[in-house]
Amino acid sequence: MQGSRRSVVTTGSGDATSQDEGGIVASDGARALVVIPTYNERENLPRIVSRVQTAMPGVHVLIVDDSSPDGTGDVADELAKGDDEGRTHVMHRVEKDGLGKAYLAGFEWGLHRDYAVIVEMDADGSHAPEQLYRLFDAVNDGADLAIGSRYVPGGKLVNWPKYREVLSRGANTYARVALGTNVHDITAGYRAYRRKVLETIDLDTVESAGYCFQIDLAWRTIQAGYDVREVPITFTEREVGSSKMSGGVMAEAFTSVARWGIENRLHKIGLHKRG
């Protein structure tokens, strides 16, 4: 992966070890890295990190902060300094550069260390760390990408505005039909990748953000022939702060998915080569 992404790691060595060799991820979460991008999440961050490390004491957390003006980066540094077990790491990026770029920087950091699985998780509490084991169980059962899904049996939405649900369900239905996939929640941001997936798909060519970033990476994983599975999760609307979703992000997803769907159909009839 290219080294041009502007970021500075300030804490953490990323040494993930465990005595439990029963699966890809140990029962306490060891050998897994949870990447949490932040922008103005000062109040939410300590809660979510505490919940992650209570639910999975062996897991490591990388907080990727995009120079939050509310001081989230300072809070992250304090969390890392107060973690005597060395499980909390912080990356400071020089500008707000989008969710996708933050995750790519986090993936790069994790792939330079010995983590077997890298997880995406929001900082706002919408993704329950107490259900992280469901993603790990799927990976240990053979999944290359485990997606925490709101829209498979057992998945739930809590306190989400109806208009957001309609938009989300519509976006997922559109992507499923356009791309011809069986993934019901391809926009979901709670997911776990085996490192081999992130090493194989061409992350240096990913420019997508938000909704589109999640679709983009899942679609690349599917096209590469990897095992993608969905597990049910409970998605809870944030209590503090505001959503980062924008009309521009949604428009990007709409046009990109249409293009990928057309290219896929042309490829099937021999009129387009995948890059």
Side-chain angles (χ1 to χ4, degrees):
M1 296 180 66
Q2 296 172 351
S4 60
R5 300 186 184 104
R6 289 173 287 179
S7 58
V8 178
V9 178
T10 60
T11 59
S13 64
D15 181 20
T17 59
S18 173
Q19 298 302 312
D20 182 352
E21 299 296 333
I24 300 297
V25 181
S27 59
D28 66 352
R31 297 194 296 274
L33 174 71
V34 175
V35 179
I36 303 179
T38 57
Y39 186 77
N40 288 348
E41 297 287 359
R42 181 185 183 94
E43 294 181 67
N44 285 316
L45 185 59
R47 304 175 191 177
I48 197 66
V49 171
S50 175
R51 287 175 61 190
V52 169
Q53 294 178 337
T54 298
M56 286 283 172
V59 85
H60 282 208
V61 172
L62 173 64
I63 302 160
V64 182
D65 186 66
D66 279 6
S67 297
S68 298
D70 74 343
T72 299
D74 294 334
V75 173
D77 286 338
E78 289 302 314
L79 290 172
K81 289 176 184 176
D83 183 358
D84 295 335
E85 301 297 324
R87 300 166 299 171
T88 307
H89 317 279
V90 185
M91 174 184 291
H92 294 281
R93 298 185 349 120
V94 299
E95 63 183 355
K96 189 176 187 296
D97 199 21
L99 181 71
K101 294 296 178 65
Y103 271 128
L104 290 173
F107 293 164
E108 183 175 14
W109 188 91
L111 291 174
H112 277 90
R113 290 154 179 85
D114 61 353
Y115 300 105
V117 171
I118 298 179
V119 176
E120 296 183 21
M121 181 184 289
D122 287 351
D124 61 13
S126 58
H127 300 147
E130 296 78 14
Q131 295 181 337
L132 189 53
Y133 74 92
R134 297 183 181 181
L135 300 179
F136 292 158
D137 284 352
V139 169
N140 284 339
D141 190 49
D144 297 308
L145 166 58
I147 297 176
S149 177
R150 299 160 286 188
Y151 305 131
V152 295
K156 297 179 182 177
L157 292 167
V158 177
N159 297 331
W160 224 28
K162 194 64 181 178
Y163 79 93
R164 291 284 304 277
E165 179 181 350
V166 170
L167 284 173
S168 176
R169 287 185 181 274
N172 277 287
T173 299
Y174 168 68
R176 190 163 67 251
V177 172
L179 299 176
T181 77
N182 293 320
V183 179
H184 290 79
D185 199 355
I186 201 168
T187 67
Y190 195 14
R191 48 179 68 185
Y193 291 91
R194 289 199 194 204
R195 72 175 293 128
K196 67 180 181 181
V197 176
L198 298 177
E199 289 174 332
T200 301
I201 62 179
D202 191 358
L203 296 178
D204 287 323
T205 64
V206 176
E207 296 294 338
S208 308
Y211 262 152
C212 197
F213 175 79
Q214 307 299 1
I215 300 170
D216 192 350
L217 260 64
W219 182 232
R220 290 169 187 253
T221 304
I222 292 166
Q223 287 187 306
Y226 285 114
D227 185 345
V228 178
R229 304 184 194 179
E230 297 183 89
V231 298
I233 61 158
T234 298
F235 181 95
T236 305
E237 173 68 340
R238 64 160 64 230
E239 295 181 358
V240 178
S242 59
S243 171
K244 312 299 191 299
M245 183 55 61
S246 69
V249 169
M250 294 179 65
E252 177 196 24
F254 183 88
T255 56
S256 294
V257 168
R259 174 169 53 83
W260 296 332
I262 291 169
E263 289 175 351
N264 186 50
R265 284 163 174 77
L266 291 176
H267 173 75
K268 288 181 177 179
I269 59 175
L271 296 179
H272 176 76
K273 274 190 177 181
R274 289 191 178 124

